[in-house]
Amino acid sequence: MEGNLHTISDNPDASELQFHQEPSLNKLATDMFQKSADYLQGELLLMMEDYKLLENLNRATASKYSDMRQISSNVAKNLSDLNQKYKSLEPLLQQIDQIEDSVNKLEQAAFKLDSYSKRLEAKFKALEKRQ
């Protein structure tokens, strides 16, 4: 039975077929591996570009936040200065309010005095006419 057992490689037509198929398979395998390598390189390049973009965005954001922190610090300092100036002016503002109240009272007194003087003048004229 061993002598009757034939394999594909024992058959001259099969070995010729195998010889012609191997270069084609090798070429296809090489082509497949090259395309797979190109694909993976493209994916790695894409990931590197994404990483660079994120890095640039992070730098820009950090710079923007630094600028905003400086601006808010300046605003807080200016607000503190304004509050301090207001506190120093507060006694003067109270004096101005008191002066305004006094002027209003003086104005009311002047209107009353004007009204009284007009009535007095009218009475004086009335007395002069009688005489």
Side-chain angles (χ1 to χ4, degrees):
M1 240 181 168
E2 270 183 37
N4 291 340
L5 194 69
H6 292 288
T7 62
I8 294 178
S9 60
D10 292 340
N11 187 348
D13 290 335
S15 65
E16 188 177 313
L17 182 64
Q18 184 179 8
F19 176 73
H20 288 297
Q21 285 180 347
E22 277 185 24
S24 176
L25 284 175
N26 284 340
K27 184 180 175 192
L28 288 173
T30 303
D31 191 38
M32 180 192 72
F33 285 123
Q34 182 60 45
K35 288 181 179 180
S36 295
D38 291 346
Y39 171 77
L40 290 175
Q41 271 187 323
E43 285 293 316
L44 287 174
L45 260 169
L46 182 64
M47 291 169 105
M48 281 178 37
E49 291 299 318
D50 284 348
Y51 176 76
K52 286 179 185 176
L53 177 64
L54 284 173
E55 193 174 28
N56 289 338
L57 286 173
N58 282 341
R59 281 191 194 119
T61 302
S63 174
K64 197 69 164 172
Y65 276 117
S66 176
D67 293 345
M68 289 171 54
R69 181 178 51 231
Q70 183 66 35
I71 289 169
S72 64
S73 174
N74 289 342
V75 167
K77 182 183 176 285
N78 289 338
L79 181 61
S80 175
D81 290 347
L82 283 174
N83 282 336
Q84 216 170 13
K85 287 177 183 177
Y86 179 78
K87 284 182 182 178
S88 69
L89 289 175
E90 199 167 18
L92 297 174
L93 293 172
Q94 288 175 353
Q95 285 179 352
I96 290 171
D97 288 341
Q98 289 172 352
I99 290 171
E100 184 182 13
D101 288 343
S102 296
V103 167
N104 287 338
K105 289 177 184 176
L106 186 59
E107 187 179 23
Q108 287 175 2
F111 284 134
K112 287 180 183 177
L113 184 60
D114 185 46
S115 176
Y116 178 72
S117 66
K118 286 179 183 177
R119 285 193 318 254
L120 189 59
E121 183 181 2
K123 284 183 183 180
F124 180 73
K125 284 184 181 180
L127 282 176
E128 272 186 343
K129 285 183 181 178
R130 277 193 210 167
Q131 292 181 2

